[in-house]
Coordinates of all heavy atoms in Angstrom, one line a residue:
K265 N 17.2 -1.1 6.3 CA 18.3 -2.0 6.5 C 17.9 -3.2 7.4 O 18.3 -4.3 7.2 CB 19.5 -1.3 7.1 CG 20.1 -0.3 6.2 CD 21.3 0.4 6.8 CE 22.0 1.4 5.8 NZ 23.2 2.0 6.5
L266 N 17.0 -2.9 8.4 CA 16.6 -4.0 9.3 C 15.4 -4.8 8.8 O 15.0 -5.7 9.5 CB 16.3 -3.4 10.7 CG 17.5 -2.7 11.4 CD1 17.1 -2.0 12.7 CD2 18.6 -3.6 11.6
G267 N 14.8 -4.3 7.7 CA 13.6 -5.0 7.2 C 12.3 -4.8 7.8 O 11.3 -5.4 7.4
E268 N 12.2 -3.9 8.8 CA 10.9 -3.5 9.4 C 10.1 -2.8 8.4 O 10.6 -2.1 7.5 CB 11.1 -2.8 10.7 CG 11.5 -1.3 10.5 CD 13.0 -1.1 10.5 OE1 13.7 -2.1 10.1 OE2 13.5 0.0 10.8
I269 N 8.8 -2.8 8.6 CA 7.9 -2.1 7.6 C 7.8 -0.6 8.0 O 7.4 -0.2 9.1 CB 6.5 -2.8 7.7 CG1 6.5 -4.3 7.4 CG2 5.5 -2.1 6.8 CD1 5.3 -5.0 7.7
T270 N 8.2 0.2 7.0 CA 8.1 1.6 7.1 C 7.3 2.2 6.0 O 6.9 1.4 5.0 CB 9.5 2.2 7.1 OG1 10.1 2.0 5.8 CG2 10.4 1.6 8.1
E271 N 7.0 3.5 6.1 CA 6.1 4.1 5.0 C 6.8 4.1 3.7 O 6.1 4.0 2.6 CB 5.8 5.5 5.4 CG 6.7 6.6 5.1 CD 8.0 6.6 5.9 OE1 8.0 5.9 6.9 OE2 8.9 7.4 5.6
S272 N 8.1 4.1 3.6 CA 8.8 4.1 2.3 C 8.6 2.7 1.6 O 8.8 2.7 0.4 CB 10.3 4.4 2.5 OG 10.9 3.4 3.3
Y273 N 8.2 1.7 2.3 CA 8.0 0.4 1.7 C 6.5 0.1 1.6 O 6.0 -0.3 0.6 CB 8.7 -0.7 2.5 CG 8.5 -2.1 1.8 CD1 9.4 -2.5 0.8 CD2 7.4 -2.9 2.1 CE1 9.2 -3.7 0.2 CE2 7.3 -4.2 1.5 CZ 8.2 -4.6 0.5 OH 8.0 -5.8 -0.1
L274 N 5.8 0.4 2.7 CA 4.4 -0.1 2.8 C 3.5 0.5 1.7 O 2.8 -0.2 1.0 CB 3.8 0.4 4.2 CG 2.3 0.1 4.4 CD1 2.0 -1.4 4.3 CD2 1.9 0.7 5.8
Y275 N 3.4 1.8 1.6 CA 2.5 2.4 0.6 C 2.8 2.2 -0.8 O 1.9 1.8 -1.6 CB 2.3 3.9 1.0 CG 1.8 4.1 2.4 CD1 2.6 4.7 3.4 CD2 0.5 3.6 2.8 CE1 2.2 4.8 4.7 CE2 0.1 3.7 4.1 CZ 0.9 4.3 5.1 OH 0.5 4.5 6.4
P276 N 4.1 2.3 -1.2 CA 4.4 2.0 -2.6 C 4.2 0.5 -2.9 O 3.8 0.1 -4.1 CB 5.9 2.3 -2.7 CG 6.2 3.3 -1.7 CD 5.3 2.9 -0.5
R277 N 4.4 -0.4 -1.9 CA 4.1 -1.8 -2.2 C 2.6 -2.1 -2.3 O 2.2 -2.9 -3.2 CB 4.7 -2.6 -1.0 CG 4.5 -4.2 -1.2 CD 5.3 -4.6 -2.4 NE 5.1 -6.1 -2.7 CZ 4.1 -6.6 -3.4 NH1 3.2 -5.8 -4.0 NH2 4.0 -7.9 -3.6
L278 N 1.8 -1.5 -1.5 CA 0.4 -1.7 -1.7 C -0.1 -1.1 -3.0 O -1.1 -1.6 -3.6 CB -0.4 -1.0 -0.5 CG -0.2 -1.7 0.9 CD1 -1.0 -0.9 1.9 CD2 -0.6 -3.1 0.9
E279 N 0.4 0.0 -3.4 CA 0.0 0.6 -4.7 C 0.1 -0.4 -5.8 O -0.7 -0.4 -6.8 CB 0.9 1.8 -5.0 CG 0.6 2.5 -6.3 CD 1.6 3.7 -6.6 OE1 2.8 3.5 -6.4 OE2 1.2 4.7 -7.0
K280 N 1.1 -1.3 -5.7 CA 1.3 -2.2 -6.8 C 0.3 -3.4 -6.9 O 0.2 -4.1 -7.9 CB 2.7 -2.8 -6.7 CG 3.8 -1.8 -6.9 CD 5.2 -2.4 -7.0 CE 6.2 -1.3 -7.2 NZ 6.0 -0.5 -8.4
I281 N -0.5 -3.6 -5.8 CA -1.5 -4.7 -5.9 C -2.8 -4.2 -6.4 O -3.7 -5.0 -6.7 CB -1.7 -5.3 -4.5 CG1 -2.5 -4.4 -3.6 CG2 -0.4 -5.7 -3.9 CD1 -3.1 -5.1 -2.4
F282 N -3.0 -2.9 -6.6 CA -4.3 -2.3 -7.0 C -4.5 -2.7 -8.5 O -3.6 -2.6 -9.3 CB -4.4 -0.8 -6.8 CG -4.3 -0.4 -5.4 CD1 -3.7 0.8 -5.1 CD2 -4.7 -1.2 -4.4 CE1 -3.5 1.3 -3.8 CE2 -4.6 -0.8 -3.0 CZ -4.0 0.4 -2.7
E283 N -5.8 -3.1 -8.8 CA -6.1 -3.5 -10.1 C -7.3 -2.7 -10.7 O -8.1 -2.1 -9.9 CB -6.5 -5.0 -10.1 CG -5.3 -5.9 -9.7 CD -5.7 -7.4 -9.7 OE1 -7.0 -7.6 -9.8 OE2 -4.9 -8.2 -9.4
Q284 N -7.5 -2.8 -12.0 CA -8.6 -2.1 -12.6 C -10.0 -2.5 -11.9 O -10.2 -3.7 -11.6 CB -8.7 -2.4 -14.1 CG -9.9 -1.7 -14.8 CD -9.8 -1.9 -16.3 OE1 -8.7 -2.2 -16.8 NE2 -10.9 -1.8 -17.0
D285 N -10.8 -1.5 -11.7 CA -12.2 -1.7 -11.1 C -12.2 -2.0 -9.6 O -13.2 -2.2 -9.0 CB -12.9 -2.8 -11.8 CG -13.3 -2.4 -13.3 OD1 -13.5 -1.2 -13.5 OD2 -13.3 -3.3 -14.1
D286 N -11.0 -2.0 -8.9 CA -11.0 -2.1 -7.5 C -11.8 -1.0 -6.8 O -11.9 0.1 -7.3 CB -9.6 -2.1 -6.9 CG -8.9 -3.4 -7.1 OD1 -9.5 -4.4 -7.4 OD2 -7.6 -3.4 -6.8
I287 N -12.4 -1.4 -5.7 CA -13.1 -0.4 -4.8 C -12.2 -0.4 -3.5 O -12.0 -1.4 -2.8 CB -14.5 -0.8 -4.4 CG1 -15.4 -0.9 -5.7 CG2 -15.1 0.2 -3.4 CD1 -16.8 -1.5 -5.4
I288 N -11.6 0.8 -3.2 CA -10.8 0.9 -2.0 C -11.4 1.9 -1.0 O -11.8 3.0 -1.4 CB -9.4 1.5 -2.5 CG1 -8.7 0.6 -3.5 CG2 -8.5 1.7 -1.3 CD1 -7.5 1.2 -4.2
F289 N -11.5 1.4 0.2 CA -11.9 2.3 1.3 C -10.8 2.4 2.3 O -10.3 1.4 2.8 CB -13.1 1.7 2.0 CG -14.4 2.0 1.4 CD1 -14.8 1.4 0.2 CD2 -15.3 3.0 1.9 CE1 -16.0 1.7 -0.4 CE2 -16.5 3.3 1.3 CZ -16.8 2.7 0.1
A290 N -10.3 3.7 2.5 CA -9.2 4.0 3.4 C -9.7 4.8 4.5 O -10.3 5.9 4.3 CB -8.1 4.7 2.6
E291 N -9.6 4.3 5.8 CA -10.0 5.0 6.9 C -9.3 6.4 7.0 O -8.1 6.4 6.8 CB -9.7 4.2 8.2 CG -10.1 4.9 9.5 CD -11.6 4.9 9.7 OE1 -12.3 3.9 9.4 OE2 -12.1 6.0 10.1
T292 N -10.0 7.4 7.3 CA -9.5 8.7 7.4 C -8.4 8.8 8.4 O -8.6 8.4 9.6 CB -10.5 9.8 7.7 OG1 -11.6 9.7 6.7 CG2 -10.0 11.2 7.7
G293 N -7.2 9.2 8.1 CA -6.1 9.3 9.0 C -4.8 8.7 8.4 O -4.5 8.9 7.2

């Protein structure tokens, strides 16, 4: 409601930018 970035927005939103053949490195944690 307040528009701050939470996990319910952040990770699904980033999922939508991934494209075929991308190389993704995610720091453990």
